């Protein structure tokens, strides 16, 4: 006789998503919200900054940095795997900088525009997961330090 795990119900996923949103808000200081139609969890870029980079570059960067970088692994069918590196808010001078654009372009990376939505790991969504463990506090590194590390690679 073979045992097979029962599929997770939509209600269980929804309850887990509500708990995850609460964790993101209370423990991580991330103003997360859940889309009821999809059950996915998002945070608007602004208070949280983000840099999206190819997986190989991001993994190398996270290994080299002497600080913790909350990183989301984004595996999408038919597309390259990227990582979203969560940062402190991105200052406007950094967004307008030609040097920043040059560094990001050379690495195949990009800044998430203010007001865009960042997809956070959500229950029932195996395509997005935390690299290592989910953040356990409100710390996010400066985007300046991430850009500097990318430029010195």
């Amino acid at each position: 006789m073979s045992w097979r795990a029962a599929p997770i119900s939509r209600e269980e996923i929804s309850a887990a998503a509500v708990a995850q949103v609460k964790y993101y808000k209370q423990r991580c200081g991330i103003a997360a919200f859940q889309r009821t139609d999809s059950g996915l969890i998002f945070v608007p870029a602004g208070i949280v900054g983000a840099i999206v980079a190819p997986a190989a570059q991001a993994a190398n960067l996270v290994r080299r940095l002497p600080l913790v970088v909350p990183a989301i692994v984004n595996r999408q069918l038919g597309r390259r795997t990227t990582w979203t590196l969560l940062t402190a808010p991105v200052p406007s001078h950094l967004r307008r900088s030609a040097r920043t654009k040059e560094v990001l372009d050379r690495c195949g990376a990009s800044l998430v525009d203010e007001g865009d939505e960042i997809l956070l790991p959500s229950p029932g969504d195996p395509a997005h997961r935390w690299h290592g463990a989910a953040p356990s506090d409100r710390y996010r590194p400066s985007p300046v330090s991430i850009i500097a590390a990318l430029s010195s690679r």
Side-chain angles (χ1 to χ4, degrees):
M1 176 174 164
S2 69
W3 181 84
R4 180 186 280 186
I8 299 173
S9 72
R10 190 171 191 86
E11 292 80 22
E12 289 171 311
I13 291 173
S14 181
V18 168
Q20 191 69 37
V21 166
K22 183 177 178 182
Y23 176 86
Y24 287 146
K25 286 180 176 179
Q26 293 178 349
R27 186 73 181 250
C28 306
I30 295 174
F33 65 91
Q34 178 189 5
R35 284 249 165 71
T36 53
D37 58 333
S38 67
L40 298 177
I41 301 171
F42 296 86
V43 61
I47 294 175
V48 173
I51 298 170
V52 178
Q57 242 106 355
N60 184 34
L61 177 82
V62 168
R63 270 192 304 275
R64 287 187 301 126
L65 285 174
L67 38 98
V68 175
V69 181
I72 302 165
V73 178
N74 313 302
R75 293 178 192 239
Q76 299 176 14
L77 290 175
R79 299 177 73 186
R80 67 184 179 149
T81 298
T82 60
W83 286 22
T84 302
L85 309 172
L86 298 186
T87 69
V90 179
S92 57
H93 77 275
L94 194 63
R95 291 188 181 283
R96 293 188 310 263
S97 165
R99 175 75 178 130
T100 297
K101 182 171 176 19
E102 176 187 319
V103 168
L104 293 172
D105 286 349
R106 187 179 37 151
C107 297
S110 62
L111 287 172
V112 174
D113 290 331
E114 195 164 329
D116 283 357
E117 294 175 346
I118 302 164
L119 179 57
L120 298 172
S122 309
D125 177 21
H128 299 85
R129 63 175 176 75
W130 290 106
H131 168 70
S136 60
D137 58 25
R138 296 169 180 262
Y139 174 77
R140 284 174 286 285
S142 163
V144 174
S145 63
I146 302 296
I147 301 293
L150 284 171
S151 69
S152 67
R153 62 176 193 101

